[in-house]
Amino acid sequence: MAENQQPTPPGTQTLARGLAVIAAVGHGHTSLRAITAATGIGRSTTHRLVQLLVQQGYLRPMPERTYSLGPTLIELGFQALADNPVTTVAAPVLRELHERVHDTVHLAVEDHRQVLYLDKLPGTRGPEMRSRIGHRMPLTRTGVGKALLLESPDRWREQYVQDTPVTPPEHLTREPMTVAEFVADMARAASRGAAYDLEENEPGIRCVAGPVRDGSGAIVAAVSVSATRPYMPMERVRALVPVVQRAAAQVSGALGYARPPRGVPVER
């Protein structure tokens, strides 16, 4: 849990420990022993913090002396989503897109160099996907993540290396791209103005994603359409590019971006 941890500001150690306990439970360390091991906090201190967090609703006691995230966090999480202007303005656009394509529609942003899903409308055909609201994924393995990186070529190589495990996860059946192949893939995505995920993140799942911009023109979110391979042959992948771009442009317009979407070059 201490990985990439920033120095704790003076006078905030107790708060930092409490937040570490919540994060540990959120990452699946649900027993007192597991929380203590994950955080490095003493057992007696961890026990006191857990008691307070349960009392305030941040944690919920479960059977066999384990804990889960509590109702207070659920309330705050929904409030955080409601307070995000992207989520609010995108909602009707996502519903309209979902009704048109009948596939899974996502809205995501970048947070701490990862994809953070803000909204998901599940498709009406094919199996359910692993993604969920509040879930995080690697930027360079997902369509929405690539869309978020379209105009950051200085980050492509470094981010891909950061996201690439030494041993690929067992659930992935496709051989990962080399760094050079990924950079070339991103260059094509930037030229087209939309990104693809061709089973790079989840076997059998393909995705088309487009960037959402704010009033300054900066990419602040991404919209995507995902489906299983039988419903997403490459012909449909290409055909969905302008559809996803129009939806992303609608959200961008609601955020104050006035520039019209550029034309889509024909791929060969």
Side-chain angles (χ1 to χ4, degrees):
M1 298 298 294
E3 191 175 351
N4 296 328
Q5 190 174 16
Q6 297 296 317
T8 302
T12 62
Q13 186 180 49
T14 301
L15 174 60
R17 286 175 171 177
L19 294 174
V21 168
I22 294 173
V25 175
H27 285 88
H29 306 286
T30 58
S31 69
L32 186 62
R33 174 178 293 183
I35 297 168
T36 300
T39 60
I41 303 170
R43 183 180 177 87
S44 61
T45 301
T46 301
H47 184 255
R48 290 195 298 271
L49 290 170
V50 166
Q51 286 182 313
L52 175 62
L53 292 168
V54 168
Q55 179 184 337
Q56 297 297 319
Y58 289 90
L59 295 181
R60 176 189 287 120
M62 301 294 285
E64 300 182 6
R65 297 185 178 180
T66 59
Y67 302 90
S68 68
L69 299 180
T72 298
L73 289 173
I74 296 173
E75 294 169 10
L76 293 175
F78 277 110
Q79 186 62 48
L81 284 173
D83 289 345
N84 189 313
V86 176
T87 308
T88 303
V89 302
V93 178
L94 298 183
R95 287 195 298 269
E96 182 181 344
L97 178 61
H98 183 256
E99 291 172 3
R100 176 174 180 177
V101 299
H102 306 292
D103 298 311
T104 299
V105 172
H106 290 112
L107 174 71
V109 296
E110 179 179 354
D111 184 67
H112 291 84
R113 299 177 71 89
Q114 294 178 305
V115 166
L116 174 63
Y117 290 100
L118 296 184
D119 205 351
K120 175 184 178 180
L121 282 67
T124 58
R125 52 192 181 180
E128 179 65 17
M129 299 174 191
R130 294 187 300 134
S131 59
R132 63 182 185 275
I133 297 174
H135 192 52
R136 295 175 184 271
M137 289 284 189
L139 279 167
T140 60
R141 291 292 186 277
T142 57
V144 283
K146 292 180 184 180
L148 289 164
L149 291 171
L150 280 186
E151 294 182 352
S152 302
D154 56 315
R155 295 181 56 194
W156 294 347
R157 183 177 298 271
E158 175 194 357
Q159 188 67 46
Y160 186 71
V161 172
Q162 176 183 313
D163 291 346
T164 304
V166 176
T167 303
E170 293 182 0
H171 72 271
L172 294 182
T173 56
R174 172 175 172 169
E175 189 71 21
M177 287 186 279
T178 66
V179 174
E181 289 171 339
F182 176 76
V183 170
D185 178 64
M186 285 299 299
R188 289 190 293 271
S191 175
R192 125 180 19 106
Y196 300 159
D197 165 11
L198 302 178
E199 304 178 54
E200 297 152 51
N201 185 54
E202 192 171 351
I205 303 298
R206 292 179 172 181
C207 168
V208 181
V212 171
R213 303 173 188 275
D214 64 10
S216 72
I219 296 175
V220 295
V223 171
S224 71
V225 172
S226 303
T228 55
R229 189 191 308 121
Y231 299 104
M232 192 75 90
M234 284 309 300
E235 293 82 1
R236 186 162 186 258
V237 168
R238 297 187 184 98
L240 279 172
V241 168
V243 176
V244 172
Q245 284 180 322
R246 279 193 292 272
Q250 284 181 273
V251 181
S252 300
L255 292 174
Y257 182 62
R259 181 180 172 187
R262 57 180 168 174
V264 182
V266 176
E267 293 189 18
R268 301 190 183 280

